């Protein structure tokens, strides 16, 4: 598995690079379809954020779903450990949920993580804007931040591809990226939907009363 390490506001030393590669490479033991991983280290310069000054974001790409986790700590090595731990936990939760689903529906596939073909753009770009953001000009994978007038409120917008998935696939993908919700288009009804965590293993689905054309 190829591991790409980048940094913002920080230098990457050989010892840290070796540590990251050793930790992240273990993901392939649990996710056989993994082909590459992007690891980003961000150093927060704001003294008020000292306790979370070192942030690690890991995104794993493969023949199946994308897996993502991030963590922050005062120490970058500790942040790596926390982020990798989250990756393993999301893989475990996803597998447990699939096993439970198969016990209730014996004809459900896939049998392994790599069988769900859900992809995301690997070349996501981050930009910051101070003027008004026109949603029509956003590119897929691009994130733009806009400050509302003179207030401290900042709104972040990001454009994603509209994947057509079943509810089960959407829940599965939500577990792997670690988000509390996941937007998608229902493959059966064509409705824009969002699945979200409620509590424990309980989830919710919100649907819009409209249909998106093929």
């Amino acid at each position: 598995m190829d591991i790409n390490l980048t940094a913002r506001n920080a230098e990457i030393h050989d010892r840290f690079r070796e540590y990251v590669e050793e930790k992240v490479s273990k993901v392939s033991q649990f996710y056989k379809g993994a082909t590459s991983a992007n690891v980003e280290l961000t150093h927060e310069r704001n003294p008020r954020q000292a306790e979370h000054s070192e942030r690690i974001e890991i995104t794993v790409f493969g023949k199946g779903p994308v897996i993502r986790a991030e963590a922050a700590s005062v120490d970058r090595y500790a942040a790596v450990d926390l982020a990798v731990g989250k990756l393993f936990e999301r893989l475990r939760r996803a597998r447990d949920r699939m096993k439970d689903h198969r016990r209730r529906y014996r004809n459900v596939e896939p049998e392994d993580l790599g069988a769900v073909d859900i992809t995301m753009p690997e070349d996501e770009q981050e930009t910051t804007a101070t003027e008004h953001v026109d949603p029509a000009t956003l590119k897929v994978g691009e994130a733009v931040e806009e400050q509302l007038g003179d207030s401290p409120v900042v709104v972040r917008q990001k454009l994603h591809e509209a994947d057509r998935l079943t509810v089960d696939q959407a829940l599965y993908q939500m577990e792997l990226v670690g988000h509390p919700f996941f937007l998608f288009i229902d493959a059966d009804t064509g409705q824009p939907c969002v699945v979200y965590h409620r509590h424990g293993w309980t989830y919710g689905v919100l649907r819009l009363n409209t249909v998106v054309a093929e």
Side-chain angles (χ1 to χ4, degrees):
M1 180 175 66
D2 295 329
I3 300 174
N4 305 308
L5 176 60
T6 58
R8 293 184 179 183
N9 304 325
E11 293 184 5
I12 300 176
H13 301 290
D14 290 342
R15 179 169 172 267
F16 180 70
R17 183 182 298 276
E18 292 173 359
Y19 188 83
V20 169
E21 292 177 349
E22 177 187 357
K23 291 290 184 177
V24 177
S25 64
K26 294 179 181 179
V27 171
S28 60
Q29 299 177 14
F30 301 90
Y31 182 12
K32 301 300 183 182
T35 57
S36 65
N38 292 342
V39 183
E40 183 176 283
L41 164 67
T42 302
H43 174 70
E44 176 57 60
R45 295 175 176 175
N46 188 344
R48 296 182 179 180
Q49 302 293 327
E51 294 183 0
H52 306 284
S53 59
E54 305 293 333
R55 177 173 296 277
I56 291 289
E57 181 176 325
I58 306 173
T59 306
V60 180
F61 301 93
K63 298 178 181 178
V66 173
I67 312 170
R68 179 182 174 278
E70 64 178 78
S73 176
V74 68
D75 177 75
R76 63 182 58 178
Y77 291 88
V80 171
D81 291 342
L82 290 171
V84 170
K86 288 182 179 180
L87 284 177
F88 293 161
E89 176 63 15
R90 281 162 194 170
L91 285 168
R92 185 192 65 78
R93 284 177 61 87
R95 285 178 170 175
D96 287 348
R97 197 187 65 78
M98 290 297 291
K99 289 178 181 179
D100 180 69
H101 188 81
R102 286 197 296 271
R103 281 196 292 268
R104 290 181 286 119
Y105 303 98
R106 292 299 181 182
N107 60 342
V108 170
E109 295 181 354
E111 291 295 329
D112 58 20
L113 289 170
V116 179
D117 186 14
I118 303 172
T119 59
M120 291 178 64
E122 298 189 24
D123 56 342
E124 294 191 352
Q125 300 178 355
E126 298 284 342
T127 60
T128 301
T130 56
E131 300 179 353
H132 174 68
V133 177
D134 182 0
T137 64
L138 289 176
K139 300 177 182 179
V140 174
E142 180 183 33
V144 178
E145 294 183 352
E146 175 187 8
Q147 185 171 350
L148 297 184
D150 296 329
S151 73
V153 177
V154 175
V155 177
R156 186 172 188 266
Q157 298 191 46
K158 194 169 188 177
L159 183 65
H160 291 276
E161 292 285 3
D163 295 322
R164 290 182 177 267
L165 309 170
T166 64
V167 171
D168 190 63
Q169 288 174 329
L171 290 171
Y172 179 61
Q173 181 68 0
M174 182 178 68
E175 291 288 355
L176 291 179
V177 296
H179 291 167
F181 65 90
F182 192 84
L183 294 166
F184 68 105
I185 296 175
D186 192 310
D188 298 322
T189 67
Q191 295 173 308
C193 299
V194 58
V195 292
Y196 62 94
H197 280 287
R198 294 183 63 198
H199 51 81
W201 292 98
T202 305
Y203 304 90
V205 182
L206 296 176
R207 300 174 179 274
L208 293 183
N209 187 23
T210 187
V211 175
V212 178
E214 291 282 356

